[in-house]
Amino acid sequence: LTWGKAVGRIDVSAEWLLAWIVNFASRERINRHLDSEEDMPLESYAVGRSGRGKINAAGIRFPRPLDNRRFTNWCVWDSFRDGVAGEEGYMFCFAGAEEFDAAHAKGASHRDIIGRNALSTIFHKDWNMVDGTTRGAYVILKLAENVCEWTFVQQADLKGRIPPLVTELRLADLLM
């Protein structure tokens, strides 16, 4: 599996960008996802006592005869301040939800948390999906009041056999 990295300067505050990333399942994003993915699920559930953790789940449609994919991730975030360099910003990290299960072995699994929500469809409906995995980190560095730098590092494994051209087309569609 390969890792991808991108760095960009954005004309919004670091706080605004973090809120946009954390608000994975906003009404606007769900509607856009439902339009583009033809009713595939997009769900988000808060976890942990800190208020800085979520389980995000998304269904991604692939062209027939390929199976659709489901990605379920554990996400955590926090602020940082480097006393030496004087840099400050936010870090948002994510890994497969199985990592949440391993870290919280005595607690509820991610499927238990999602299963408690009566509106959830990601595991309750037969979507005929293959479980893909993705992991990565976003570093948001404050440059000025309304300017930040976003470093995006991510790895994805779509699982199963998918022709490279289809992968390239779908990944291009999924980029923000």
Side-chain angles (χ1 to χ4, degrees), residues 10 28 31 54-55 80 87 113-114 138 143 157 173:
I10 303 173
E28 175 188 342
N31 288 338
K54 281 188 163 189
I55 300 288
F80 67 85
E87 296 178 335
I113 291 167
I114 292 171
Y138 304 155
L143 299 178
D157 183 354
D173 287 346

Side-chain angles (χ1 to χ4, degrees), residues 92-113:
F92 181 94
C93 301
F94 53 98
E98 301 76 29
E99 300 288 335
F100 174 85
D101 296 346
H104 298 85
K106 294 180 182 177
S109 74
H110 72 280
R111 287 182 181 260
D112 293 335
I113 291 167

Side-chain angles (χ1 to χ4, degrees), residues 38-97:
E38 300 174 22
D39 296 328
M40 297 297 285
L42 179 71
E43 302 175 6
S44 187
Y45 303 91
V47 295
R49 293 186 179 134
S50 71
R52 295 181 180 180
K54 281 188 163 189
I55 300 288
N56 289 337
I60 307 296
R61 188 169 299 285
F62 276 78
R64 292 180 190 236
L66 301 173
D67 290 325
N68 299 322
R69 298 300 190 265
R70 172 177 43 221
F71 293 91
T72 309
N73 290 308
W74 175 31
C75 309
V76 294
W77 59 93
D78 206 347
S79 60
F80 67 85
R81 183 177 190 112
D82 183 341
V84 177
E87 296 178 335
E88 62 181 297
Y90 301 93
M91 179 163 277
F92 181 94
C93 301
F94 53 98

Side-chain angles (χ1 to χ4, degrees), residues 109-128:
S109 74
H110 72 280
R111 287 182 181 260
D112 293 335
I113 291 167
I114 292 171
R116 289 183 198 140
N117 188 318
L119 300 177
S120 174
T121 62
I122 194 94
F123 293 117
H124 297 277
K125 186 175 175 182
D126 182 16
W127 291 98
N128 192 29

